Coordinates of all heavy atoms in Angstrom, one line a residue:
M38 N -5.4 -14.4 -4.7 CA -6.2 -13.2 -4.7 C -6.5 -12.7 -6.0 O -5.7 -12.6 -6.9 CB -5.3 -12.1 -3.9 CG -6.1 -10.8 -3.6 SD -7.6 -10.9 -2.6 CE -7.0 -11.6 -1.1
S39 N -7.7 -12.3 -6.3 CA -8.1 -11.9 -7.6 C -7.7 -10.5 -8.1 O -7.5 -9.6 -7.2 CB -9.7 -11.9 -7.6 OG -10.2 -11.3 -8.7
R40 N -7.4 -10.5 -9.4 CA -7.1 -9.2 -10.0 C -8.4 -8.6 -10.7 O -8.2 -7.8 -11.6 CB -5.9 -9.3 -11.0 CG -4.6 -9.6 -10.4 CD -3.5 -9.8 -11.4 NE -2.4 -10.4 -10.8 CZ -1.3 -9.8 -10.3 NH1 -1.3 -8.5 -10.3 NH2 -0.3 -10.4 -9.8
T41 N -9.5 -9.0 -10.3 CA -10.7 -8.5 -10.8 C -11.0 -7.2 -10.0 O -11.0 -7.2 -8.8 CB -11.9 -9.5 -10.6 OG1 -11.5 -10.7 -11.2 CG2 -13.2 -9.0 -11.3
R42 N -11.6 -6.1 -10.7 CA -11.9 -4.9 -10.0 C -13.1 -5.1 -9.0 O -14.0 -5.8 -9.3 CB -12.3 -3.8 -11.1 CG -11.3 -3.2 -11.6 CD -11.7 -2.1 -12.6 NE -12.1 -1.0 -12.0 CZ -12.3 0.3 -12.6 NH1 -12.0 0.4 -14.0 NH2 -12.6 1.4 -12.0
L43 N -12.9 -4.5 -7.9 CA -13.9 -4.5 -6.9 C -15.2 -3.6 -7.2 O -14.8 -2.5 -7.9 CB -13.3 -4.2 -5.5 CG -12.2 -5.1 -5.0 CD1 -11.6 -4.6 -3.7 CD2 -12.7 -6.6 -4.8
T44 N -16.3 -3.9 -6.7 CA -17.4 -3.0 -6.8 C -17.2 -1.9 -5.8 O -16.4 -1.8 -4.9 CB -18.7 -3.7 -6.5 OG1 -18.7 -4.1 -5.2 CG2 -18.8 -4.8 -7.4
E45 N -18.0 -0.8 -6.0 CA -17.9 0.4 -5.1 C -18.3 -0.1 -3.6 O -17.7 0.3 -2.7 CB -18.9 1.5 -5.4 CG -18.4 2.3 -6.7 CD -17.0 2.9 -6.5 OE1 -16.9 3.6 -5.5 OE2 -16.1 2.8 -7.3
D46 N -19.2 -0.9 -3.5 CA -19.7 -1.5 -2.2 C -18.5 -2.3 -1.6 O -18.3 -2.1 -0.4 CB -20.9 -2.3 -2.4 CG -22.2 -1.5 -2.5 OD1 -22.1 -0.2 -2.4 OD2 -23.2 -2.1 -2.7
Q47 N -17.9 -3.1 -2.3 CA -16.7 -3.9 -1.8 C -15.7 -3.0 -1.3 O -15.0 -3.2 -0.3 CB -16.3 -4.9 -2.9 CG -17.2 -6.0 -3.1 CD -16.8 -6.8 -4.3 OE1 -16.3 -6.4 -5.3 NE2 -16.9 -8.1 -4.2
I48 N -15.4 -1.9 -2.1 CA -14.2 -1.0 -1.8 C -14.6 -0.3 -0.5 O -13.7 -0.1 0.4 CB -14.1 0.0 -3.0 CG1 -13.4 -0.7 -4.2 CG2 -13.2 1.2 -2.4 CD1 -13.5 0.1 -5.5
T49 N -15.9 0.2 -0.3 CA -16.3 0.9 0.9 C -16.1 0.0 2.0 O -15.6 0.4 3.1 CB -17.7 1.4 0.8 OG1 -17.8 2.2 -0.4 CG2 -18.1 2.2 1.9
A50 N -16.5 -1.2 1.9 CA -16.4 -2.2 3.0 C -15.0 -2.5 3.4 O -14.6 -2.4 4.6 CB -17.2 -3.5 2.6
A51 N -14.1 -2.6 2.4 CA -12.7 -3.0 2.6 C -12.0 -1.9 3.4 O -11.1 -2.0 4.2 CB -12.0 -3.4 1.5
L52 N -12.4 -0.7 3.0 CA -11.7 0.6 3.5 C -12.0 0.7 5.0 O -11.3 1.5 5.7 CB -12.1 1.9 2.7 CG -11.3 2.2 1.4 CD1 -12.1 3.3 0.7 CD2 -9.9 2.7 1.9
A53 N -13.1 0.2 5.4 CA -13.4 0.4 6.8 C -12.3 -0.3 7.7 O -12.2 0.1 9.0 CB -14.8 -0.3 7.1
D54 N -11.7 -1.2 7.3 CA -10.6 -1.9 8.0 C -9.2 -1.2 7.9 O -8.2 -1.7 8.4 CB -10.4 -3.5 7.6 CG -11.5 -4.2 8.0 OD1 -12.3 -3.9 9.0 OD2 -11.8 -5.2 7.3
L55 N -9.2 -0.1 7.1 CA -7.9 0.5 6.7 C -7.9 2.0 7.1 O -7.9 2.9 6.2 CB -7.5 0.3 5.3 CG -7.2 -1.1 4.9 CD1 -7.2 -1.3 3.4 CD2 -5.9 -1.5 5.5
P56 N -8.0 2.3 8.4 CA -8.2 3.7 8.7 C -7.1 4.7 8.3 O -7.4 5.8 8.2 CB -8.3 3.7 10.3 CG -7.7 2.4 10.7 CD -7.9 1.5 9.5
H57 N -5.9 4.2 8.0 CA -4.8 5.1 7.6 C -4.8 5.3 6.1 O -3.9 6.1 5.5 CB -3.4 4.5 8.0 CG -3.3 4.3 9.5 ND1 -3.3 5.4 10.3 CD2 -3.2 3.2 10.3 CE1 -3.1 4.9 11.5 NE2 -3.1 3.6 11.4
W58 N -5.7 4.7 5.4 CA -5.7 4.8 3.9 C -6.8 5.6 3.4 O -7.9 5.5 3.9 CB -5.7 3.4 3.3 CG -4.5 2.5 3.7 CD1 -4.2 1.8 4.8 CD2 -3.4 2.4 2.8 NE1 -3.0 1.3 4.7 CE2 -2.4 1.5 3.5 CE3 -3.0 2.8 1.5 CZ2 -1.2 1.2 2.8 CZ3 -1.8 2.5 0.9 CH2 -1.0 1.7 1.7
T59 N -6.5 6.3 2.3 CA -7.5 7.2 1.6 C -7.7 6.7 0.2 O -6.8 6.3 -0.4 CB -7.0 8.7 1.6 OG1 -6.6 9.1 2.9 CG2 -7.9 9.6 1.0
R60 N -8.9 6.7 -0.2 CA -9.2 6.4 -1.6 C -8.9 7.6 -2.5 O -9.4 8.8 -2.1 CB -10.6 6.1 -1.8 CG -10.8 5.8 -3.3 CD -11.9 4.7 -3.5 NE -12.1 4.5 -4.9 CZ -13.3 4.2 -5.5 NH1 -14.3 4.3 -4.8 NH2 -13.3 4.0 -6.7
T61 N -8.0 7.5 -3.5 CA -7.6 8.6 -4.4 C -7.9 8.1 -5.8 O -7.0 7.5 -6.4 CB -6.0 8.9 -4.1 OG1 -5.4 7.8 -4.2 CG2 -5.9 9.6 -2.8
G62 N -9.1 8.4 -6.2 CA -9.5 7.9 -7.5 C -9.5 6.5 -7.6 O -10.2 5.7 -6.7
E63 N -8.7 5.9 -8.5 CA -8.7 4.4 -8.6 C -7.5 3.9 -7.9 O -6.9 2.8 -8.3 CB -8.6 4.1 -10.1 CG -9.7 4.5 -11.0 CD -11.0 3.8 -10.5 OE1 -10.9 2.7 -9.9 OE2 -12.1 4.4 -10.7
A64 N -7.1 4.4 -6.7 CA -6.1 4.0 -6.0 C -6.3 4.2 -4.4 O -7.3 4.9 -4.0 CB -4.7 4.8 -6.4
L65 N -5.4 3.5 -3.7 CA -5.4 3.7 -2.3 C -4.1 4.4 -1.9 O -3.0 4.0 -2.4 CB -5.5 2.3 -1.5 CG -6.5 1.4 -1.7 CD1 -6.3 0.1 -1.0 CD2 -7.8 2.1 -1.3
T66 N -4.1 5.3 -1.0 CA -3.0 6.1 -0.5 C -2.7 6.3 0.9 O -3.7 6.5 1.7 CB -3.0 7.5 -1.2 OG1 -3.1 7.5 -2.6 CG2 -1.8 8.4 -0.8
R67 N -1.5 6.0 1.3 CA -1.2 6.2 2.8 C 0.2 6.9 2.8 O 1.2 6.5 2.2 CB -1.0 4.8 3.5 CG -0.6 5.2 5.0 CD -0.6 4.0 5.9 NE -0.1 4.5 7.3 CZ 0.1 3.8 8.3 NH1 -0.2 2.5 8.3 NH2 0.5 4.2 9.4
T68 N 0.2 8.0 3.6 CA 1.5 8.7 4.0 C 1.8 8.4 5.4 O 0.9 8.4 6.2 CB 1.3 10.1 3.6 OG1 1.2 10.4 2.3 CG2 2.7 11.0 4.1
A69 N 3.1 8.0 5.7 CA 3.5 7.8 7.0 C 4.9 8.4 7.4 O 5.8 8.2 6.4 CB 3.5 6.3 7.4
E70 N 5.0 9.0 8.4 CA 6.4 9.4 8.9 C 7.0 8.4 9.8 O 6.4 8.0 10.8 CB 6.2 10.7 9.6 CG 7.6 11.4 9.8 CD 7.3 12.8 10.5 OE1 6.9 13.7 9.8 OE2 7.7 12.9 11.7
T71 N 8.1 8.0 9.4 CA 9.0 7.0 10.2 C 9.9 7.8 11.2 O 10.1 9.0 11.0 CB 9.6 6.0 9.4 OG1 10.5 6.7 8.5 CG2 8.6 5.2 8.5
A72 N 10.6 7.0 12.0 CA 11.5 7.6 13.0 C 12.7 8.2 12.4 O 13.3 9.2 12.8 CB 12.0 6.6 14.1
S73 N 13.2 7.8 11.3 CA 14.4 8.2 10.6 C 14.5 7.7 9.2 O 13.7 6.9 8.9 CB 15.6 7.6 11.4 OG 15.5 6.3 11.2
F74 N 15.5 8.2 8.5 CA 15.6 7.8 7.1 C 16.0 6.4 7.0 O 15.3 5.6 6.2 CB 16.6 8.7 6.3 CG 16.9 8.3 4.9 CD1 15.9 8.5 3.9 CD2 18.0 7.8 4.5 CE1 16.1 8.3 2.7 CE2 18.2 7.4 3.2 CZ 17.2 7.7 2.2
P75 N 16.9 5.8 7.7 CA 17.1 4.4 7.7 C 16.0 3.6 8.1 O 15.7 2.5 7.4 CB 18.3 4.1 8.8 CG 19.0 5.6 8.9 CD 17.9 6.6 8.7
T76 N 15.1 4.0 9.0 CA 13.9 3.2 9.3 C 13.0 3.2 8.1 O 12.4 2.2 7.7 CB 13.0 3.9 10.5 OG1 14.0 3.8 11.6 CG2 11.9 3.0 10.8
A77 N 12.8 4.4 7.4 CA 12.0 4.4 6.1 C 12.5 3.4 5.1 O 11.7 2.7 4.4 CB 12.0 5.8 5.6
I78 N 13.8 3.3 5.0 CA 14.3 2.5 4.0 C 14.1 0.9 4.3 O 13.8 0.1 3.5 CB 15.9 2.7 3.7 CG1 16.1 4.2 3.2 CG2 16.5 1.7 2.8 CD1 15.2 4.5 1.9
K79 N 14.2 0.7 5.7 CA 13.9 -0.7 6.1 C 12.4 -1.0 5.8 O 12.1 -2.2 5.4 CB 14.1 -0.9 7.7 CG 15.7 -0.9 8.0 CD 15.9 -1.0 9.4 CE 17.3 -0.9 9.7 NZ 17.7 -0.2 11.0
V80 N 11.5 -0.1 6.0 CA 10.2 -0.4 5.8 C 10.0 -0.6 4.2 O 9.2 -1.6 3.8 CB 9.2 0.8 6.2 CG1 7.8 0.7 5.6 CG2 9.2 1.0 7.7
V81 N 10.6 0.2 3.4 CA 10.5 0.1 1.9 C 11.1 -1.4 1.6 O 10.6 -2.0 0.8 CB 11.3 1.1 1.2 CG1 11.5 0.8 -0.3 CG2 10.6 2.5 1.4
D82 N 12.2 -1.7 2.2 CA 12.8 -3.0 1.9 C 11.9 -4.2 2.3 O 11.7 -5.1 1.6 CB 14.1 -3.2 2.7 CG 15.0 -4.2 2.1 OD1 15.0 -4.4 1.0 OD2 15.6 -5.0 2.9
A83 N 11.3 -4.1 3.5 CA 10.3 -5.2 3.9 C 9.1 -5.2 2.9 O 8.6 -6.3 2.5 CB 9.8 -4.8 5.3
V84 N 8.6 -4.1 2.5 CA 7.4 -4.0 1.6 C 7.8 -4.5 0.2 O 7.0 -5.2 -0.4 CB 6.9 -2.5 1.5 CG1 5.9 -2.4 0.4 CG2 6.2 -2.1 2.9
A85 N 9.0 -4.2 -0.2 CA 9.6 -4.8 -1.5 C 9.5 -6.3 -1.5 O 9.0 -6.9 -2.5 CB 10.8 -4.3 -1.7
E86 N 9.9 -6.9 -0.4 CA 9.8 -8.4 -0.3 C 8.4 -8.8 -0.4 O 8.2 -9.9 -1.1 CB 10.5 -8.9 1.0 CG 12.0 -9.0 1.0 CD 12.5 -10.0 2.1 OE1 11.8 -10.8 2.5 OE2 13.6 -9.6 2.6
Q87 N 7.6 -8.3 0.4 CA 6.2 -8.7 0.4 C 5.5 -8.4 -1.0 O 4.8 -9.3 -1.5 CB 5.3 -7.9 1.4 CG 5.9 -7.8 2.7 CD 5.3 -8.7 3.6 OE1 4.7 -9.7 3.2 NE2 5.3 -8.5 4.9
A88 N 5.9 -7.4 -1.6 CA 5.4 -7.1 -3.0 C 5.7 -8.2 -4.0 O 5.0 -8.6 -4.8 CB 5.7 -5.7 -3.5
E89 N 7.0 -8.5 -4.0 CA 7.5 -9.6 -4.8 C 6.9 -10.9 -4.5 O 6.4 -11.6 -5.5 CB 9.0 -9.7 -4.6 CG 9.9 -8.7 -5.4 CD 9.7 -9.0 -6.9 OE1 10.3 -9.9 -7.6 OE2 9.0 -8.0 -7.5
A90 N 6.6 -11.2 -3.3 CA 6.0 -12.5 -3.0 C 4.6 -12.6 -3.6 O 4.1 -13.5 -4.0 CB 6.0 -12.8 -1.5
L91 N 3.9 -11.3 -3.4 CA 2.5 -11.2 -3.9 C 2.4 -11.0 -5.5 O 1.4 -11.1 -6.1 CB 1.9 -10.0 -3.2 CG 0.4 -9.9 -2.9 CD1 0.0 -11.1 -2.1 CD2 0.2 -8.6 -2.0
D92 N 3.6 -10.7 -6.1 CA 3.7 -10.2 -7.5 C 2.6 -9.0 -7.7 O 1.9 -9.0 -8.6 CB 3.3 -11.3 -8.4 CG 3.6 -10.9 -9.9 OD1 4.4 -10.0 -10.1 OD2 2.9 -11.4 -10.8
H93 N 2.7 -8.0 -6.7 CA 1.9 -7.0 -6.8 C 2.7 -5.7 -6.2 O 3.1 -5.8 -5.0 CB 0.5 -7.1 -6.1 CG -0.5 -6.1 -6.4 ND1 -1.0 -5.9 -7.6 CD2 -1.1 -5.2 -5.6 CE1 -1.9 -4.9 -7.6 NE2 -1.9 -4.4 -6.4
H94 N 2.8 -4.6 -6.9 CA 3.9 -3.7 -6.5 C 3.3 -2.3 -6.2 O 2.5 -1.8 -7.2 CB 4.9 -3.5 -7.6 CG 5.5 -5.0 -7.8 ND1 5.0 -5.8 -8.7 CD2 6.5 -5.6 -7.2 CE1 5.7 -7.0 -8.7 NE2 6.7 -6.9 -7.8
P95 N 3.7 -1.6 -5.1 CA 3.2 -0.3 -4.9 C 4.1 0.7 -5.5 O 5.2 0.6 -5.8 CB 3.3 -0.1 -3.4 CG 4.6 -1.1 -3.1 CD 4.5 -2.1 -4.1
D96 N 3.5 1.9 -5.8 CA 4.2 3.1 -6.0 C 4.6 3.7 -4.7 O 3.9 3.8 -3.8 CB 3.3 4.2 -6.8 CG 3.0 3.7 -8.2 OD1 3.5 2.7 -8.8 OD2 2.1 4.3 -8.9
I97 N 5.9 4.0 -4.7 CA 6.5 4.5 -3.3 C 7.2 5.8 -3.5 O 8.1 5.9 -4.4 CB 7.4 3.5 -2.7 CG1 6.8 2.1 -2.5 CG2 7.8 3.9 -1.3 CD1 7.7 0.9 -2.0
D98 N 6.8 6.9 -2.7 CA 7.6 8.0 -2.8 C 8.3 8.2 -1.4 O 7.7 8.0 -0.4 CB 6.5 9.2 -2.9 CG 7.2 10.6 -3.0 OD1 7.6 10.9 -4.0 OD2 7.4 11.2 -1.9
I99 N 9.6 8.4 -1.5 CA 10.4 8.5 -0.3 C 11.0 10.0 -0.2 O 11.6 10.4 -1.1 CB 11.7 7.6 -0.4 CG1 11.2 6.2 -0.7 CG2 12.6 7.7 0.9 CD1 12.4 5.3 -1.0
R100 N 10.6 10.7 0.9 CA 11.0 12.0 1.2 C 11.6 12.1 2.5 O 10.9 12.1 3.5 CB 9.9 13.1 1.0 CG 9.5 13.0 -0.4 CD 8.7 14.2 -0.9 NE 8.3 13.8 -2.3 CZ 8.2 14.7 -3.2 NH1 8.4 15.9 -3.0 NH2 7.7 14.2 -4.4
W101 N 12.9 11.9 2.8 CA 13.7 11.8 4.0 C 13.0 10.7 4.8 O 13.1 9.6 4.4 CB 13.6 13.1 4.7 CG 14.4 13.1 6.2 CD1 15.3 12.2 6.4 CD2 14.1 13.9 7.2 NE1 15.7 12.5 7.7 CE2 15.0 13.5 8.2 CE3 13.2 15.0 7.5 CZ2 15.0 14.1 9.5 CZ3 13.2 15.5 8.7 CH2 14.1 15.1 9.8
R102 N 12.2 11.0 5.8 CA 11.6 9.9 6.6 C 10.1 9.8 6.5 O 9.4 9.0 7.2 CB 11.9 10.0 8.1 CG 11.4 11.3 8.7 CD 12.2 11.4 10.1 NE 11.9 12.7 10.8 CZ 11.1 12.8 11.7 NH1 10.4 11.7 12.2 NH2 10.8 14.0 12.3
T103 N 9.7 10.4 5.4 CA 8.2 10.2 5.0 C 8.0 9.4 3.8 O 8.6 9.7 2.7 CB 7.6 11.7 4.9 OG1 7.8 12.5 6.1 CG2 6.0 11.5 4.5
L104 N 7.1 8.4 4.0 CA 6.9 7.5 2.9 C 5.4 7.7 2.4 O 4.5 7.8 3.3 CB 7.0 6.0 3.2 CG 8.4 5.6 3.8 CD1 8.3 4.2 4.3 CD2 9.3 5.7 2.6
T105 N 5.2 7.7 1.1 CA 3.8 7.6 0.6 C 3.7 6.4 -0.4 O 4.5 6.3 -1.3 CB 3.5 8.9 -0.2 OG1 3.6 10.0 0.7 CG2 2.0 8.9 -0.8
F106 N 2.7 5.7 -0.1 CA 2.4 4.4 -0.8 C 1.1 4.8 -1.7 O 0.0 5.1 -1.0 CB 2.2 3.2 0.1 CG 3.4 2.9 0.9 CD1 3.6 3.4 2.2 CD2 4.3 2.0 0.4 CE1 4.7 3.0 2.9 CE2 5.5 1.6 1.1 CZ 5.6 2.2 2.3
V107 N 1.2 4.3 -3.0 CA -0.1 4.4 -3.7 C -0.2 3.0 -4.3 O 0.7 2.4 -5.0 CB 0.1 5.5 -4.8 CG1 -1.1 5.6 -5.7 CG2 0.3 6.9 -4.2
L108 N -1.5 2.5 -4.2 CA -1.8 1.1 -4.6 C -2.9 1.2 -5.6 O -4.0 1.7 -5.4 CB -2.2 0.3 -3.4 CG -1.3 0.3 -2.2 CD1 -1.9 -0.7 -1.1 CD2 0.1 0.1 -2.4
S109 N -2.7 0.5 -6.7 CA -3.7 0.3 -7.6 C -3.2 -1.0 -8.6 O -2.2 -1.3 -8.6 CB -3.8 1.5 -8.7 OG -4.9 1.4 -9.4
T110 N -4.3 -1.6 -9.1 CA -3.9 -2.7 -10.0 C -4.0 -2.2 -11.4 O -5.0 -2.1 -12.0 CB -4.9 -3.9 -9.8 OG1 -4.9 -4.3 -8.3 CG2 -4.5 -5.0 -10.6
H111 N -2.8 -2.0 -11.9 CA -2.7 -1.4 -13.3 C -3.4 -2.2 -14.4 O -4.1 -1.7 -15.2 CB -1.2 -1.0 -13.6 CG -0.5 -0.3 -12.6 ND1 -0.8 1.0 -12.1 CD2 0.5 -0.7 -11.8 CE1 -0.1 1.3 -11.1 NE2 0.7 0.3 -10.9
S112 N -3.2 -3.5 -14.3 CA -3.8 -4.3 -15.4 C -5.2 -4.4 -15.3 O -5.9 -4.5 -16.3 CB -3.2 -5.8 -15.2 OG -3.5 -6.3 -13.9
A113 N -5.8 -4.1 -14.1 CA -7.3 -4.0 -14.0 C -7.9 -2.6 -14.2 O -9.0 -2.4 -14.3 CB -7.7 -4.6 -12.6
G114 N -7.0 -1.7 -14.1 CA -7.4 -0.2 -14.2 C -8.2 0.2 -13.0 O -9.0 1.2 -13.1
G115 N -7.9 -0.3 -11.8 CA -8.6 0.1 -10.7 C -8.1 -0.7 -9.5 O -7.1 -1.4 -9.5
L116 N -9.1 -0.8 -8.4 CA -8.7 -1.4 -7.2 C -9.2 -2.9 -7.1 O -10.4 -3.2 -7.6 CB -9.4 -0.7 -6.0 CG -8.8 0.6 -5.8 CD1 -9.6 1.5 -4.8 CD2 -7.4 0.4 -5.1
T117 N -8.4 -3.8 -6.7 CA -8.7 -5.2 -6.6 C -8.3 -5.7 -5.2 O -7.8 -4.9 -4.4 CB -7.9 -6.0 -7.6 OG1 -6.5 -6.1 -7.2 CG2 -8.1 -5.6 -9.0
G118 N -8.6 -6.9 -4.9 CA -8.3 -7.5 -3.5 C -6.8 -7.4 -3.2 O -6.5 -7.3 -2.2
L119 N -6.1 -7.4 -4.3 CA -4.6 -7.5 -4.1 C -4.2 -6.1 -3.5 O -3.3 -6.1 -2.7 CB -3.8 -7.6 -5.4 CG -3.7 -9.0 -6.0 CD1 -3.2 -9.0 -7.4 CD2 -2.7 -9.7 -5.0
D120 N -4.8 -5.0 -3.9 CA -4.5 -3.7 -3.3 C -4.8 -3.7 -1.9 O -4.0 -3.1 -1.0 CB -5.2 -2.6 -4.1 CG -4.8 -2.6 -5.5 OD1 -3.6 -2.5 -5.7 OD2 -5.7 -2.7 -6.4
F121 N -5.8 -4.2 -1.4 CA -6.3 -4.3 0.0 C -5.3 -5.2 0.8 O -4.9 -4.9 1.9 CB -7.7 -4.6 0.2 CG -8.5 -3.5 -0.3 CD1 -8.9 -3.3 -1.5 CD2 -8.9 -2.5 0.6 CE1 -9.8 -2.2 -1.9 CE2 -9.6 -1.3 0.3 CZ -10.0 -1.2 -1.1
T122 N -5.0 -6.4 0.2 CA -4.0 -7.3 0.8 C -2.7 -6.6 1.1 O -2.1 -6.6 2.2 CB -3.8 -8.5 -0.1 OG1 -5.0 -9.1 -0.2 CG2 -2.7 -9.4 0.6
L123 N -2.2 -5.8 0.1 CA -0.9 -5.2 0.1 C -1.1 -4.0 1.2 O -0.1 -3.8 2.0 CB -0.5 -4.7 -1.2 CG 0.9 -4.0 -1.3 CD1 2.0 -5.0 -0.9 CD2 1.1 -3.6 -2.8
A124 N -2.1 -3.3 1.2 CA -2.3 -2.2 2.2 C -2.2 -2.7 3.7 O -1.5 -2.1 4.5 CB -3.7 -1.6 2.0
H125 N -2.7 -3.9 3.9 CA -2.6 -4.5 5.3 C -1.1 -4.8 5.5 O -0.7 -4.7 6.6 CB -3.5 -5.8 5.4 CG -5.0 -5.4 5.6 ND1 -5.4 -4.9 6.8 CD2 -6.0 -5.4 4.8 CE1 -6.7 -4.6 6.8 NE2 -7.2 -4.9 5.5
L126 N -0.4 -5.4 4.5 CA 0.9 -5.7 4.8 C 1.8 -4.6 5.0 O 2.7 -4.6 5.8 CB 1.4 -6.6 3.5 CG 0.8 -8.0 3.4 CD1 1.2 -8.6 2.0 CD2 1.4 -8.9 4.4
I127 N 1.5 -3.5 4.3 CA 2.3 -2.2 4.4 C 2.0 -1.7 5.9 O 2.9 -1.2 6.6 CB 1.9 -1.2 3.3 CG1 2.5 -1.7 2.1 CG2 2.5 0.2 3.7 CD1 2.0 -0.9 0.8
D128 N 0.7 -1.7 6.4 CA 0.4 -1.2 7.7 C 1.2 -2.1 8.7 O 1.8 -1.6 9.7 CB -1.1 -1.5 8.0 CG -1.9 -0.5 7.4 OD1 -1.5 0.5 6.9 OD2 -3.2 -0.6 7.5
Q129 N 1.3 -3.4 8.5 CA 2.2 -4.3 9.4 C 3.7 -3.9 9.4 O 4.3 -3.8 10.4 CB 2.0 -5.7 9.0 CG 0.7 -6.3 9.5 CD 0.4 -7.7 8.9 OE1 1.3 -8.4 8.5 NE2 -0.8 -8.0 8.7
A130 N 4.2 -3.7 8.1 CA 5.6 -3.2 8.0 C 5.8 -1.9 8.8 O 6.8 -1.8 9.5 CB 6.1 -3.1 6.6
L131 N 4.9 -1.0 8.7 CA 5.0 0.3 9.4 C 4.9 0.1 10.9 O 5.7 0.7 11.7 CB 4.1 1.3 8.9 CG 4.3 1.9 7.6 CD1 3.0 2.5 6.9 CD2 5.4 2.9 7.6
D132 N 4.0 -0.7 11.3 CA 3.8 -1.1 12.8 C 5.2 -1.6 13.3 O 5.5 -1.3 14.5 CB 2.6 -2.0 13.1 CG 1.4 -1.3 12.9 OD1 1.3 0.0 12.9 OD2 0.3 -1.9 12.9
T133 N 5.6 -2.7 12.7 CA 6.9 -3.4 13.0 C 8.0 -2.4 13.2 O 8.8 -2.5 14.1 CB 7.2 -4.5 12.1 OG1 6.1 -5.4 11.9 CG2 8.4 -5.3 12.5
A134 N 8.1 -1.5 12.3 CA 9.3 -0.5 12.3 C 9.1 0.6 13.5 O 10.2 1.2 13.9 CB 9.4 0.2 11.0
S135 N 7.9 0.8 14.0 CA 7.7 1.9 14.9 C 8.0 1.5 16.3 O 8.1 0.3 16.6 CB 6.4 2.5 14.7 OG 5.3 1.6 15.1
Ligands
H2B389 C1 3.0 -10.2 -14.9 C2 2.7 -9.4 -13.4 O1 1.8 -10.4 -12.8 C3 2.2 -8.1 -13.6 O2 3.0 -7.4 -14.4 C4 1.9 -7.5 -12.3 C5 3.2 -7.1 -11.6 N1 2.8 -6.1 -10.5 C6 1.8 -5.4 -10.6 N2 1.5 -4.3 -9.6 C7 0.5 -3.5 -9.8 N3 0.4 -2.6 -8.8 N4 -0.4 -3.6 -10.8 C8 -0.2 -4.5 -11.7 O3 -1.1 -4.7 -12.6 C9 0.9 -5.5 -11.6 N5 1.0 -6.4 -12.6

């Protein structure tokens, strides 16, 4: 997966498949409430494994059972295909936990 910045048209098209995600400047953001604090930590753990495998890492804010993920490719200074790949993996981790 490329670390090349996507064009505005590519970003708009890719966001169409990610209804839970919002574009926040040069990043993608999703906030999700899980069933409990342990569930939130399990999701974070699953996402950590995926992120390591991808060598692409989200910013994660944990507040009791609410998680906020912020995705951006720091080396590219914006959004790349990796951010969208990771967003789909995070959606799957949240679905699996619920
Ligand atoms: C060397 C390694 O590929 C880089 O440091 C990776 C690691 N994870 C990363 N994660 C994110 N979100 N952006 C990056 O630019 C980035 N760079």
Side-chain angles (χ1 to χ4, degrees):
M38 185 61 62
S39 165
R40 289 180 197 266
T41 306
R42 273 181 82 161
L43 298 176
T44 66
E45 288 301 314
D46 283 353
Q47 287 172 322
I48 291 168
T49 303
L52 271 171
D54 288 337
L55 292 168
H57 299 296
W58 292 83
T59 307
R60 179 151 181 216
T61 46
E63 296 299 334
L65 301 178
T66 300
R67 176 177 179 180
T68 295
E70 188 176 291
T71 60
S73 65
F74 182 67
T76 303
I78 298 304
K79 279 180 196 145
V80 170
V81 168
D82 199 38
V84 169
E86 273 199 38
Q87 308 263 23
E89 273 298 285
L91 209 52
D92 191 27
H93 195 63
H94 303 88
D96 294 345
I97 306 174
D98 181 89
I99 306 168
R100 304 205 179 205
W101 181 27
R102 59 196 176 102
T103 299
L104 298 174
T105 300
F106 296 93
V107 180
L108 313 183
S109 189
T110 303
H111 308 300
S112 58
L116 290 168
T117 68
L119 277 171
D120 298 305
F121 287 91
T122 298
L123 188 55
H125 282 285
L126 291 170
I127 291 170
D128 281 353
Q129 283 167 28
L131 285 163
D132 283 350
T133 302
S135 66

